[in-house]
Amino acid sequence: MEPAFVPFEFTEYAHEEMLQRSREFHEEMRRRRTVRHFAERPVPREVVELAIRTAATAPSGAHKQPWRFVLVKDPQIKARIREAAEEEERRSYQERMPPAWIQDLEPLGTDWNKPFLTTCPYLLAVFAETFALTESGPAKHYYVQESVGIATGLLIAALHHAGLATLTHTPSPMKFLREILGRPRNERPFLLLALGYPAPGCEVPNLTRKRLEEVLTVK
Ligand code: IYR
């Protein structure tokens, strides 16, 4: 039988080396930006698969690993997703989002048009498995939002580290994703990640990030 516990493999670094590693990692992550314009050229599938493996190392409630990923390359499926997303987004921008929200989005330059959904080489749909379908009936999963959110953060970091750009897209409502991708009833769409190389000459909004003092309180 497999042992219930095994020794933990841990690497401890000297203080200076820790600082150096932290600085380098921050420097790398600081350069990550959400990109809305993608080149059409393909990206290596193995890189994407490795990023998904990294995402799947995330901690999860009771280790239920409630994340599911659907990698979409097929242009026809991408086109169906774009059509459905734009339909929902058009209604959101025109009818559902209050003026304050529209105003908040102005600096980002977004609207209901989502051409990136068909130009990017891969769409990665992230689903949250809200419960397991077992032979003896549904079995509960725990902290599903938190777990899938953490996994998605790792996924975005891994893709950035590999040299790919991403865009987190959350068309709302996202029910159409389950239908188009034929997912079972225990999976809820979490978000849609467009990924690839940025388009030549791609620009991003001139944003600043909050200072440490604004996001951190030490007691
Ligand atoms: N889901 C819409 C609107 C949108 C909402 C937020 I909050 C953003 O940060 C960006 C977009 C869209 O994808 O356009």
Side-chain angles (χ1 to χ4, degrees):
M1 229 198 24
E2 290 279 311
F5 287 85
V6 292
F8 175 41
E9 286 172 32
F10 179 74
T11 311
E12 186 170 324
Y13 303 103
H15 194 114
E16 264 314 308
E17 193 179 352
M18 254 178 131
L19 268 178
Q20 179 69 12
R21 292 171 61 91
S22 309
R23 282 197 195 99
E24 280 170 14
F25 190 65
H26 171 244
E27 192 53 35
E28 185 174 354
M29 291 310 297
R30 198 174 71 71
R31 293 179 198 283
R32 186 205 57 79
R33 290 298 308 265
T34 287
V35 151
R36 291 179 194 280
H37 311 280
F38 291 88
E40 287 188 29
R41 64 195 166 103
V43 302
R45 164 113 142 247
E46 198 179 353
V47 167
V48 180
E49 287 178 357
L50 280 162
I52 295 166
R53 282 175 191 257
T54 298
T57 66
S60 61
H63 195 52
K64 296 293 183 183
Q65 308 174 77
W67 37 74
R68 294 292 180 273
F69 304 93
V70 182
L71 187 59
V72 182
K73 183 169 164 251
D74 184 328
Q76 286 181 357
I77 303 178
K78 285 197 288 182
R80 285 180 65 199
I81 290 176
R82 177 176 172 186
E83 200 181 318
E86 286 184 336
E87 179 62 36
E88 291 297 352
E89 291 293 279
R90 188 186 292 113
R91 289 192 54 200
S92 292
Y93 276 85
Q94 290 176 352
E95 301 162 25
R96 297 192 279 233
M97 287 150 73
W101 192 349
I102 299 287
Q103 209 176 340
D104 276 342
L105 290 179
E106 243 169 53
L108 305 181
T110 63
D111 60 29
W112 61 263
N113 285 288
K114 304 296 174 192
F116 55 81
L117 292 176
T118 45
T119 45
C120 70
Y122 281 122
L123 283 177
L124 183 55
V126 183
F127 287 84
E129 203 184 58
T130 44
F131 56 92
L133 291 167
T134 71
E135 275 169 21
S136 46
K140 192 173 156 39
H141 283 167
Y142 315 92
Y143 300 100
V144 171
Q145 289 288 108
E146 291 84 346
S147 306
V148 181
I150 296 166
T152 303
L154 293 180
L155 173 70
I156 292 168
L159 289 167
H160 170 71
H161 179 68
L164 291 174
T166 58
L167 165 60
T168 41
H169 180 43
T170 50
S172 174
M174 242 184 317
K175 214 171 50 180
F176 65 84
L177 268 186
R178 184 157 67 190
E179 288 151 19
I180 293 175
L181 298 175
R183 304 306 294 176
R185 65 186 169 86
N186 59 330
E187 288 183 19
R188 207 173 33 71
F190 185 74
L191 63 74
L192 192 55
L193 202 68
L195 67 95
Y197 297 106
C202 173
E203 292 190 336
V204 292
N206 187 11
L207 305 180
T208 52
R209 293 190 167 114
K210 287 183 177 166
R211 289 175 294 110
L212 184 66
E213 300 70 39
E214 295 175 271
V215 299
L216 169 69
T217 305
V218 181
K219 298 258 189 211

